[in-house]
Each structure stands twice: as structure tokens, then as C-alpha cells.
Amino acid sequence: MAQQQALITITGYVGANPTQFNKDGMPHASSFRMASTRRYFDNRTQQWKDLPTTWITVKAYRNLSENICQSLKKGEPVIVTGALATETWADQNGKPQSRIVLEASAAGHDLNRGVTTLRKFVKPNDQAQPETKGTEPQMGVDPFARHSSVAPVEIVVPEDDEAAEFSGNHEEFGGDIYIGGTDVSHDGR
């Protein structure tokens, strides 16, 4: 019989910058402290009140760990999903100690608190991409971008069902088309 653990999701703030703890030759591993404070509205006083802050250590491994180290900074709002685990060790006096950690399976900025930008990795074995040198993924390269001298096209279409049927001929509808910042709508400029 397979043993399963339930995943939990916690929102909060990064309490300390992520730090690596992997050893040479081992997969990337990192951890950071996360603070989560629940709030409730007190009808009697008509004010929001904070419950005590819960601090938890979040651990991540491999690609997620690398991405966390490059993306999350102290004070930023985050959302983390993972499984709870208990770590045990003996302190300096030989007394057993333990703590609960969240082993992350997914993490990112909490978009209820702001916006963020994703930089995707280009995988070296992706045939749809131009040849890449080396075996490491390239950061900051849009894997869906066409690598040619064609200017980006921005199409402003009406907000009705005609937009879904647009064939590319700008005369089909009353919208405007901009290519590389130049208006090419209606009069063919």
C-alpha cells in the first residue's frame, strides 16, 4: 500500500534570504524562513486583528531550490506548497530536538500582494529552439520568441466576438494595428 502525504499551502513573507546548504556533488538545496500571520475581523471592535505569527523553515531541492535562490528576497510576499516533515537532531548536550519544516514542491510570489515577471529557461534539448551552447539552461531568454528581424505586432481588436474570428486582415474590423510602433490601420500606412 502506497503511503501518501497531504500537501499544504501557506502564504506569508520571506523572513530571511534563501541560503544554500548542499554539499559538493549533491543536488542544489536551499532553505529560508517564512512568516505567516493570520488575521481576522473582530465584529465587536470593527477592526482587523492579527493572531501570533507562525514561523516555519521552508526547504527546497534541485531546480526549485535554484529558482528560489534567484527569485525570493527577504520581505517579499510568497505562497509555498509542500509537505510537512519533522527534522530531528541532538543538541550540544545530547538532548533530542525536533522541528517541523515545509518541504516545498512549488513556491512563488503571492500575486495577491503584487506583480512579478517570469523568466523561462530554454532547455538545451528543445528542437523548437535555436541551438544553445553548453548544457545549462539559459536564463532570461523567452523560449517562445521568434528570433528574426520581424517587428513585434500589437493588435487592438474590438471587445466582441469578432475578435475571435480575426483572420489578420485589419480591414475586417474597426480595430487598429500597430507594427513596431507604426499605425497601419485603415489607411494602409
Side-chain angles (χ1 to χ4, degrees):
M1 174 179 245
Q3 188 177 20
Q4 295 184 7
Q5 281 189 309
L7 294 177
I8 65 164
T9 301
I10 298 178
T11 59
Y13 290 86
V14 178
N17 286 335
T19 57
Q20 288 182 238
F21 64 86
N22 56 306
K23 296 179 176 140
D24 289 340
M26 299 300 290
H28 201 282
S30 63
S31 68
F32 66 93
R33 296 284 287 163
M34 179 177 171
S36 181
T37 306
R38 293 186 343 186
R39 303 187 83 199
Y40 69 96
F41 188 76
D42 186 339
N43 284 326
R44 190 176 49 79
T45 64
Q46 294 295 301
Q47 293 181 353
W48 284 95
K49 299 213 174 179
D50 291 342
L51 293 171
T53 299
T54 299
W55 286 90
I56 190 159
T57 298
V58 177
K59 290 192 170 188
Y61 302 92
R62 298 176 181 76
N63 287 341
L64 179 59
S65 172
E66 291 181 50
N67 294 342
I68 283 174
C69 286
Q70 293 181 33
S71 302
L72 302 182
K73 304 292 179 245
K74 180 179 179 178
E76 293 179 341
V78 292
I79 181 167
V80 180
T81 298
L84 292 177
T86 303
E87 289 185 340
T88 59
W89 69 96
D91 68 11
Q92 296 171 347
N93 300 324
K95 184 178 177 186
Q97 301 289 321
S98 67
R99 71 175 173 182
I100 295 175
V101 297
L102 179 58
E103 293 180 347
S105 58
H109 290 110
D110 184 350
L111 298 181
N112 285 307
R113 307 273 183 225
V115 297
T116 190
T117 301
L118 175 66
R119 291 180 296 165
K120 294 182 180 181
F121 290 115
V122 175
K123 296 178 183 171
N125 60 353
D126 188 352
Q127 277 84 25
Q129 300 302 316
E131 289 293 320
T132 58
K133 296 186 182 196
T135 58
E136 293 298 312
Q138 295 179 348
M139 282 202 9
V141 177
D142 183 355
F144 301 105
R146 291 194 176 141
H147 300 283
S148 65
S149 61
V150 177
V153 176
E154 176 185 352
I155 301 174
V156 181
V157 295
E159 295 183 13
D160 56 19
D161 289 334
E162 288 180 25
E165 300 172 14
F166 180 59
S167 69
N169 180 355
H170 69 274
E171 295 179 25
E172 283 184 14
F173 71 98
D176 296 325
I177 298 177
Y178 297 91
I179 298 179
T182 305
D183 182 2
V184 293
S185 60
H186 304 302
D187 60 2
R189 283 187 289 153

